[in-house]
Amino acid sequence: MDFKPIKLANKPLIDGFLARDAFEVADVHFNNLYLWRKAREISYAIIHDCLIIATKYPDSTPFYFYPIGLGDKKAALQALIERAPHPLELRALQSQHVAQLEAFFPNAFEITPMRDRFDYIYSVPELIALSGKKFHKKKNHLNAF
């Protein structure tokens, strides 16, 4: 497997894979990947016609996002399992990914939700008003700016 660092020139490739799949997790969208590429190693590979994103923080083992695209996701995951010198860790799974993973590899993975890593959605009117205790820190940042 040939993982390559994320570069600006990879935007069309990554966006193309995401456009062909129902991947809604913000962590795997190109802008987010590119923005964080200097804080941690972020690389990608094409495996069985699926885009695989790998992330590695300094002094830690890498983790991967669920295969993206219309390729053979089971074969891509099997290749990752066989390649990994450590237990394979997948992050930012959507509910359909969990169901697929359990169907592909019954009882092979321990799935632990990490609530502090869940995506969140803000209400536009609430962000505009920034009223109440909930937005106090954001309002302070805005005022300081």
Side-chain angles (χ1 to χ4, degrees):
M1 278 179 240
D2 185 25
F3 279 85
K4 300 172 189 160
I6 295 282
K7 296 180 180 173
L8 190 56
N10 304 132
K11 183 173 178 21
L13 174 78
I14 292 170
D15 286 348
F17 273 92
L18 286 166
R20 292 185 296 273
D21 205 341
F23 222 102
E24 299 172 354
V25 176
D27 288 356
V28 299
H29 286 272
F30 181 80
N31 294 355
N32 196 25
L33 295 169
Y34 189 74
L35 180 72
W36 287 102
R37 77 193 187 289
K38 293 193 178 190
R40 55 188 184 244
E41 287 179 37
I42 300 176
S43 56
Y44 75 96
I46 309 298
I47 304 169
H48 294 284
D49 295 321
C50 292
L51 174 69
I52 305 291
I53 305 289
T55 301
K56 184 181 181 305
Y57 288 99
D59 302 320
S60 68
T61 58
F63 62 88
Y64 304 86
F65 294 112
Y66 200 76
I68 303 166
L70 301 178
D72 188 340
K73 293 181 182 185
K74 183 177 182 181
L77 288 164
Q78 186 64 48
L80 282 175
I81 291 167
E82 292 167 3
R83 173 195 182 271
H86 47 77
L88 180 65
E89 183 177 347
L90 298 170
R91 291 195 188 174
L93 295 171
Q94 295 174 196
S95 57
Q96 67 266 29
H97 301 151
V98 172
Q100 227 176 32
L101 193 59
E102 289 174 338
F104 291 158
F105 307 99
N107 304 314
F109 286 93
E110 178 183 328
I111 298 170
T112 307
M114 297 171 65
R115 183 71 180 112
D116 64 330
R117 297 288 305 143
F118 284 16
D119 277 350
Y120 50 88
I121 299 171
Y122 285 113
S123 159
V124 172
E126 286 180 1
L127 275 179
I128 291 170
L130 291 178
S131 60
K133 199 176 209 177
K134 179 176 164 183
F135 294 107
H136 184 74
K137 285 183 180 180
K138 290 190 184 334
K139 195 167 190 171
N140 283 343
H141 287 301
L142 182 63
N143 289 337
F145 179 72

